[in-house]
Amino acid sequence: MMGWHPTGGAPAPDTARGIDPRAVGRWQHPVAGDPKGRVQCDLCPRACRLAEGQRGFCFVRANHGGRIVLDTYGRSSGFAVDPVEKKPLNHFHPGSAVLSFGTAGCNSACRFCQNWDLSRARDWDRLGVEAPPERIAQVAAARGIPSVAFTYNDPIVFAEYAIDTAAACRELGIHPIAVTAGYMAACARPEFYAAMDAANIDLKGFTEDFYWKVTGTHLADVLATIDYAVNEARTPDGRHVWVELTTLLIPGHNDDEVQLHAECAWIREHCGPDVPLHFSAFHPDWKMRDVPPTPLGTLVKARRIAMEEGLRYVYTGNVHHREGDATVCPGCGEVLIQRDWYRIESDRIVVDPATGEGRCPACGTAIAGRW
């Protein structure tokens, strides 16, 4: 995942020597009448109130001189070139490459985090290398990589850096992609999602009890973000931001049939049947090493339930399952894209060069996505 840096691994500058004005938080306000002069961070629902020198829950946003600053702005934990299907995005320019990167810190507290060394990092000078927004976009363009993904830790906590990088990417014709848990305040959603061409948002479960006990966040806030991203978010040219959803199924925690039916019904009713849903297998990690891996049968059952609830594009992930890797026409059942893990073996979608719309060659049914 890590190990390649577009800047050659140069150490990041010490923010204590001068704060980049772009790193100043865009969503904050002073707490009126507070004797400690605290400032509230309005980026996420935690609404951390920070006195001078204090850090938020994410650890990477802090009060410096009466203003909240993103200390990891322009610093990356490393880069990799991935297939877009690994994000996972199966309906966004399938088979194309993505330059993926993240920083440090996170505003969730997932007990199963598989990138915990980054999300819970407390030493970004050790992790970080200098990677300004413009340089990231230039490297992607020079290498012919059509998309840049903000991932590994959650781009919500480095939103200013992600937005500026997304703008630099768009200037060079590169697609910005967010891979996020969606735990974001309403006031920050419009600017963040307007900067993205696509997003994969985690819907980690479908009960408040699960969300609070296992992720330390709240379900309602995530559902509001998903609703906004799918139904309201627009790119500068007026197109809907392309959104896909992922649920990591954890045995005994969020994989019961009642919860799955409720989740899939909510997606159908609030997002429509064309938003792709990925069910991914859990592997023991971080603070949930005592939970067994997800059986393939659980993923197959979840996929069946989702399709019974009317969702048209449902996938299985983190396992080898050709049926769950395939994009199938909802009109006639033809396999349109066959994948083997992340490798595309065949792609039969017919794309209109004028509109970019994809259709099934057998029956003409429109296939939702960006082709």
Side-chain angles (χ1 to χ4, degrees), residues 51-261:
E52 173 66 28
Q54 284 189 322
R55 299 192 171 279
F57 180 92
C58 65
F59 198 75
V60 296
R61 307 177 79 86
N63 184 334
H64 295 293
R67 56 184 180 172
I68 293 173
V69 175
L70 171 61
D71 283 329
T72 54
Y73 188 98
R75 299 178 176 204
S76 168
S77 54
F79 290 77
V81 178
D82 299 314
V84 71
E85 286 80 7
K86 196 173 181 178
K87 296 305 92 188
L89 290 168
N90 281 1
H91 290 236
F92 188 80
H93 305 290
S96 63
V98 178
L99 177 61
S100 301
F101 81 97
T103 60
C106 190
N107 64 336
S108 296
C110 299
R111 295 177 58 81
F112 52 82
C113 183
Q114 296 181 351
N115 287 321
W116 59 269
D117 53 334
L118 300 180
S119 64
R120 310 318 305 164
R122 295 295 182 264
D123 183 2
W124 56 83
D125 284 322
R126 177 178 60 83
L127 290 171
V129 293
E130 187 176 6
E134 299 77 13
R135 179 60 177 152
I136 293 171
Q138 290 163 3
V139 168
R143 290 176 174 252
I145 302 171
S147 300
V148 167
F150 315 112
T151 182
Y152 302 141
N153 68 318
D154 200 309
I156 287 174
V157 301
F158 62 94
E160 294 84 0
Y161 183 26
I163 289 169
D164 290 348
T165 303
C169 286
R170 279 189 174 149
E171 288 183 4
L172 299 181
I174 307 297
H175 300 296
I177 297 171
V179 181
T180 171
Y183 195 53
M184 190 172 218
C187 64
R189 291 174 194 140
E191 187 173 0
F192 182 81
Y193 281 98
M196 305 301 159
D197 287 348
N200 185 288
I201 304 176
D202 286 338
L203 181 51
K204 297 175 186 288
F206 210 70
T207 68
E208 171 61 17
D209 184 68
F210 171 85
Y211 253 88
W212 180 243
K213 289 181 179 178
V214 180
T215 78
T217 61
H218 297 289
L219 174 61
D221 296 301
V222 175
L223 294 180
T225 294
I226 291 171
D227 196 322
Y228 176 85
V230 171
N231 296 308
E232 298 184 50
R234 297 289 192 279
T235 60
D237 61 2
R239 299 187 78 184
H240 281 279
V241 175
W242 181 253
V243 177
E244 302 190 21
L245 305 176
T246 296
T247 299
L248 184 75
L249 292 180
I250 306 174
H253 290 269
N254 65 349
D255 61 344
D256 62 275
E257 292 195 15
V258 171
Q259 193 171 169
L260 290 170
H261 275 288

